[in-house]
Amino acid sequence: MDKLLIRGGQPLRGEIAISGAKNAALPILCAGLMTDEPLVLRNVPRLQDIASMLRLLRQHGVKIDEAATVRDAEPVVTLATPSLASDEAPYDIVRTMRASILVLGPLVARFGSAKVSLPGGCAIGARPVDQHIKGLQKLGAEITIEHGYIHAKASRLKGARIVTDMVTVTGTENLMMAAALAEGRTVIENAAREPEVVDLANCLIAMGAKISGAGTDRIEIDGVERLHGAEHTIVADRIETGTFLCAAAATGVFGGSDLLLTRAAPGTLQAVIDKLVEAGANIENNGDWIRIRADRRMKAINARTLPYPAFPTDMQAQFMALNCTAEGTGVMTETIFENRFMHVPELIRLGADIAIQDDTAVVKGVPALSGAAVMATDLRASASLVIAGLVAEGETVISRIYHLDRGYERMEAKLAGVGASIERLR
């Protein structure tokens, strides 16, 4: 099983190209089920989760062409679904990747039936799928749950007003795709506002869907008979961007970090930028690039995770790692997932001073961390351990990095290219 070996103490200087967003690419790949014509997707990241989704889509009968690309060229994936081979999303695939639930809406909307295993993914909380089910029932689907599978049927979905009990990103995406082929108008209230939701809407619109309001808490969809092929470029990954920004801020104390992130989307992570500026980093951005400069120990910051556009739960672990060696004390409050402090014991192994009380972690900055063997527990926890390893004295070895490979494309290569001492051990 692969591990990462990190020798801390090096600033980050140079340029990194940001990959396409995993959380945008996954639902957009599922949109390939909704047309028999080619859907050409650019900037699809090369990740384990993407590979798992493509494997699932092939099982459904999606014809997929992954264009051969030279190193660092824009990856292209072309999908077409002339017919359905199977309406089942089996447990052995779904258990490894929660986003597999996103085939549910497209399958029912276009083919009239779906059998989808209840999902798995990172063990960071319950993340129930009841909002997906309730929404599809509002659209007229008949749904039962038997032997760990969601069974859904509908001759044709019909538009409805859906008010979700909570803000759910994948729920909004699933219902938006289903409604795109439903008869009549659908209104989704309390919709998720994330950039990934907007990116999916833009792709569906390019395919002929009639959608307005994406990016607000009220989305309107007028269903159409069919969707056609299209070309779409996946939006830049704001969480990858934020992770590298945190890494540069944390390592600035070693003589000054100066990192330029290209092919980025600065407008999608203003809350992250604001927190980094508060911590003492110098940040410039314009169009599709962000530059961060840091040459001193950062100041500890407080953060409370909330739905977009507020501070994202997917950046909580990375900022906690930044706080570990910052000046002062930072308070991190997690309101989205009830089990998202699993990285704390591993950070403490590196010498961090962290106390947890319910949904709050109090982080007292220490002058330095000390390298040690640690274990990744989930995707973003993995990223926090990488940041901590970059600032720790000596060597840090991170095991179970398959979590990292689910959501970061060639992270060790990108960091090594800007001065980090990091390598993959096989």
Side-chain angles (χ1 to χ4, degrees):
M1 191 176 294
D2 289 5
K3 300 179 181 180
L4 284 183
L5 170 62
I6 303 173
R7 299 176 181 90
Q10 302 298 319
L12 303 183
R13 297 172 184 158
E15 182 177 315
I16 293 176
I18 298 300
S19 300
K22 172 182 83 85
N23 289 338
L26 290 171
I28 289 172
L29 286 170
C30 293
L33 287 164
M34 302 180 68
T35 177
D36 59 358
E37 298 180 8
L39 175 61
V40 181
L41 301 177
R42 305 185 185 281
N43 203 32
V44 179
R46 301 178 183 91
L47 302 169
Q48 186 56 49
D49 271 11
I50 298 297
S52 296
M53 182 61 80
L54 293 177
R55 182 159 70 99
L56 174 59
L57 292 175
R58 285 189 176 98
Q59 179 162 310
H60 289 312
V62 181
K63 299 183 183 303
I64 298 171
D65 176 26
E66 297 178 71
T69 56
V70 297
R71 183 175 177 177
D72 293 330
E74 185 179 67
V76 178
V77 175
T78 302
L79 310 95
T81 315
S83 61
L84 186 67
S86 169
D87 69 352
E88 180 177 343
Y91 173 72
D92 66 328
I93 298 178
V94 178
R95 69 181 175 85
T96 66
M97 184 186 58
R98 178 177 180 77
S100 304
I101 191 69
L102 287 164
V103 302
L104 181 61
L107 285 174
V108 176
R110 183 175 170 209
F111 297 105
S113 68
K115 179 184 177 183
V116 180
S117 173
L118 291 168
C122 282
I124 58 175
R127 301 198 288 181
V129 296
D130 61 315
Q131 299 305 304
H132 303 243
I133 294 170
K134 289 178 181 178
L136 287 171
Q137 287 174 328
K138 279 273 192 179
L139 295 173
E142 298 178 7
I143 296 180
T144 58
I145 298 177
E146 300 174 1
H147 308 295
Y149 278 82
I150 302 168
H151 297 256
K153 291 185 178 181
S155 55
R156 187 181 181 191
L157 300 176
K158 297 185 182 299
R161 180 172 179 264
I162 302 169
V163 182
T164 60
D165 297 334
M166 56 183 287
V167 177
T168 163
V169 176
T170 55
T172 299
E173 292 166 342
N174 230 339
L175 296 175
M176 187 165 62
M177 287 190 283
L181 290 176
E183 180 182 346
R185 170 168 291 191
T186 297
V187 178
I188 304 174
E189 304 275 10
N190 200 28
R193 301 165 60 185
E194 272 72 2
E196 295 79 15
V197 173
V198 176
D199 204 37
L200 171 61
N202 289 338
C203 179
L204 292 171
I205 290 168
M207 296 169 68
K210 297 180 180 179
I211 301 172
S212 62
T216 75
D217 61 2
R218 188 176 193 272
I219 301 176
E220 294 185 2
I221 307 105
D222 288 312
V224 297
E225 288 284 341
R226 63 182 299 274
L227 296 178
H228 53 68
E231 294 192 13
H232 180 77
T233 300
I234 305 296
V235 70
D237 194 318
R238 61 192 172 102
I239 305 303
E240 183 194 30
T241 306
T243 300
F244 287 134
L245 290 173
C246 282
T251 57
V253 69
F254 301 120
S257 289
D258 187 346
L259 190 61
L260 177 66
L261 303 178
T262 61
R263 297 178 64 176
T268 64
L269 67 164
Q270 192 59 52
V272 170
I273 292 173
D274 290 345
K275 286 296 179 184
L276 287 166
V277 171
E278 182 183 332
N282 181 294
I283 296 182
E284 302 173 79
N285 65 84
N286 186 16
D288 64 352
W289 60 264
I290 304 178
R291 183 183 184 187
I292 180 170
R293 286 172 287 182
D295 59 4
R296 59 179 64 87
R297 189 180 177 194
M298 294 289 102
K299 300 174 184 176
I301 59 97
N302 300 330
R304 180 182 182 87
T305 65
L306 290 167
Y308 189 86
F311 185 83
T313 182
D314 278 355
M315 286 302 304
Q316 175 256 107
Q318 297 91 312
F319 270 86
M320 189 178 293
L322 179 60
N323 271 350
C324 285
T325 56
E327 292 180 354
T329 299
V331 179
M332 312 292 293
T333 304
E334 175 60 56
T335 72
I336 307 297
F337 296 122
E338 70 275 14
N339 196 23
R340 205 162 201 179
F341 286 150
M342 291 191 295
H343 48 283
V344 170
E346 303 305 303
L347 291 173
I348 290 173
R349 281 183 54 80
L350 297 170
D353 185 347
I354 306 172
I356 299 177
Q357 181 65 46
D358 298 326
D359 63 354
T360 299
V362 178
V363 187
K364 296 181 180 179
V366 297
L369 298 178
S370 179
V374 292
M375 180 179 68
T377 55
D378 62 70
L379 172 55
R380 305 308 172 185
S382 307
S384 76
L385 296 179
V386 171
I387 294 170
L390 292 173
V391 299
E393 296 175 347
E395 294 186 350
T396 297
V397 178
I398 306 173
S399 61
R400 294 176 63 179
I401 61 167
Y402 57 83
H403 289 293
L404 193 75
D405 294 336
R406 288 185 50 229
Y408 290 93
E409 182 178 4
R410 300 170 51 245
M411 183 185 229
E412 72 278 10
K414 289 185 178 184
L415 285 171
V418 293
S421 178
I422 180 173
E423 61 181 298
R424 182 177 290 251
L425 305 178
R426 299 186 184 275

